[in-house]
Amino acid sequence: MAGSLFNRAKKIFKDEGLYTLFSRTLRYIEKIGKRLFIFEHYYILEHTPRALNEADYIPRIQNITFKMIFSNHQADEIARQGFEDLRDRPIMVDARQCLDKGAVAFCFYAGSELAHSCFIATSEKAKNTFDILPYKIDFAHGQACTGGTVTLPKFRGNGLMSYGYFKRMEYLLQQGYKTSRNAISVNNTASKKAHARFNPDVYAKARLLKIAHWSFWKETPCCCSLKDILQN
C-alpha cells in the first residue's frame, strides 16, 4: 500500500508538479480523516432508468473517449493502449479494489488523460468499495447503486458528471435494472444540479455521525424533488 502511494506521488510530481502533489496530498489526508470523524447530511436519491437523448448530455469538451471497465485485467489492457490508469489516482476511491469486488467503472478520457470516473455496483460487496453509507439497496430485486464519482479539477464545469450519469442510466436500462440509488451531500450543489437533470425521487434525508468505529445513521422520509430543493 505504501509503495503504491509513493509511486502515485512520484507520477503526480513528475507530470503535474509540486503544487498539484501538495494539493492532492491534503485531499488524501482529508479523506483519511473522514474515516475517523464524519458529521454530514445527505439526500438519498432513487433513479428510474429510462430512454434519454444522449445529445442533451454531451459534455462541453472535445475528443472525449468513453471506456467501461469490468475488471483489473481490462484496466491493465486499457493502460497498455496508452490511456491513463484510473488506479493511479490517489484522490479517488481504491479503483483496483472496486473492480476486484465487482463494481463497474465508467471512465472518460480527454485524449489519453483521465477526466472523469464513476462506478456502478450491483451487489453489496461492490457498493461498499466506493460508498460506505448504510442506506438500503435491494440488489436481489433489480436495484443497483451508483457512486464513486470524481471529475478531475482541470476538467470540472464541462458537464462530465451529467454525461457520466447518462451513461450509467443507459447501461442500467440495457441490463434490465428497475432503479438505482445513491447518496449526495446536501451541500454538494454541483451534484444536485447534475442529478436534477434526471428527475430522481428524493426518498429520504439522512444524517451520519461517525467517530472512529462508532456510527449513528438516521433516515427521515422525504417527498420533495431536487428541482424544488435547488429553487429554495
Side-chain angles (χ1 to χ4, degrees):
M1 179 65 176
S4 176
L5 289 174
F6 180 71
N7 289 334
R8 292 178 185 180
K10 284 199 306 182
K11 187 177 188 302
I12 293 169
F13 179 70
K14 179 181 177 181
D15 295 347
E16 302 182 52
L18 181 61
Y19 177 80
T20 300
L21 175 60
F22 179 71
S23 175
R24 292 186 181 173
T25 299
L26 290 179
R27 292 193 191 104
Y28 183 75
I29 292 171
E30 180 183 12
K31 178 181 176 182
I32 296 299
K34 285 185 176 180
R35 294 179 182 176
L36 300 176
F37 177 79
I38 304 173
F39 181 65
E40 183 67 271
H41 291 81
Y42 302 91
Y43 292 119
I44 312 300
L45 310 182
E46 184 169 293
H47 287 267
T48 300
R50 64 188 190 280
L52 297 167
N53 182 6
E54 184 171 5
D56 292 337
Y57 301 93
I58 295 296
R60 297 178 295 277
I61 189 170
Q62 300 298 313
N63 300 319
I64 283 290
T65 300
F66 170 59
K67 298 284 186 180
M68 198 182 309
I69 305 176
F70 293 89
S71 68
N72 280 294
H73 176 76
Q74 186 182 4
D76 291 338
E77 178 58 32
I78 289 172
R80 283 193 291 269
Q81 294 171 10
F83 292 97
E84 183 179 2
D85 194 333
L86 82 157
R87 297 167 299 182
D88 288 339
R89 286 288 182 174
I91 65 169
M92 297 183 180
V93 297
D94 187 338
R96 183 176 297 278
Q97 183 186 45
C98 290
L99 294 170
D100 186 55
K101 298 297 184 181
V104 181
F106 290 65
C107 297
F108 301 82
Y109 299 87
S112 62
E113 187 176 0
L114 185 65
H116 177 86
S117 68
C118 48
F119 291 85
I120 281 177
T122 57
S123 71
E124 190 72 23
K125 179 171 66 173
K127 172 191 176 292
N128 290 339
T129 62
F130 62 75
D131 186 349
I132 63 171
L133 298 178
Y135 58 96
K136 300 300 182 182
I137 311 291
D138 192 0
F139 292 110
H141 295 91
Q143 194 167 68
C145 176
T146 61
T149 303
V150 177
T151 303
L152 279 298
K154 67 185 287 186
F155 298 106
R156 290 173 185 168
N158 288 292
L160 284 165
M161 186 185 299
S162 293
Y163 193 45
Y165 264 99
F166 167 80
K167 284 295 188 182
R168 284 183 285 187
M169 292 301 108
E170 180 182 58
Y171 172 79
L172 291 172
L173 182 64
Q174 291 170 351
Q175 297 300 312
Y177 284 90
K178 299 175 183 178
T179 56
S180 72
R181 287 182 174 179
N182 70 289
I184 60 173
S185 168
V186 299
N187 297 316
N188 191 334
T189 301
S191 187
K192 286 187 289 187
K193 287 181 177 179
H195 279 281
R197 298 186 66 186
F198 300 88
N199 197 31
D201 293 325
V202 183
Y203 82 88
K205 188 173 181 180
R207 181 178 64 194
L208 173 65
L209 173 61
K210 182 177 185 295
I211 303 173
H213 297 293
W214 181 88
S215 64
F216 173 78
W217 173 263
K218 181 180 179 181
E219 291 184 20
T220 303
C222 185
C223 59
C224 54
S225 72
L226 276 181
K227 291 180 179 179
D228 291 338
I229 290 169
L230 286 165
Q231 290 173 356
N232 292 333

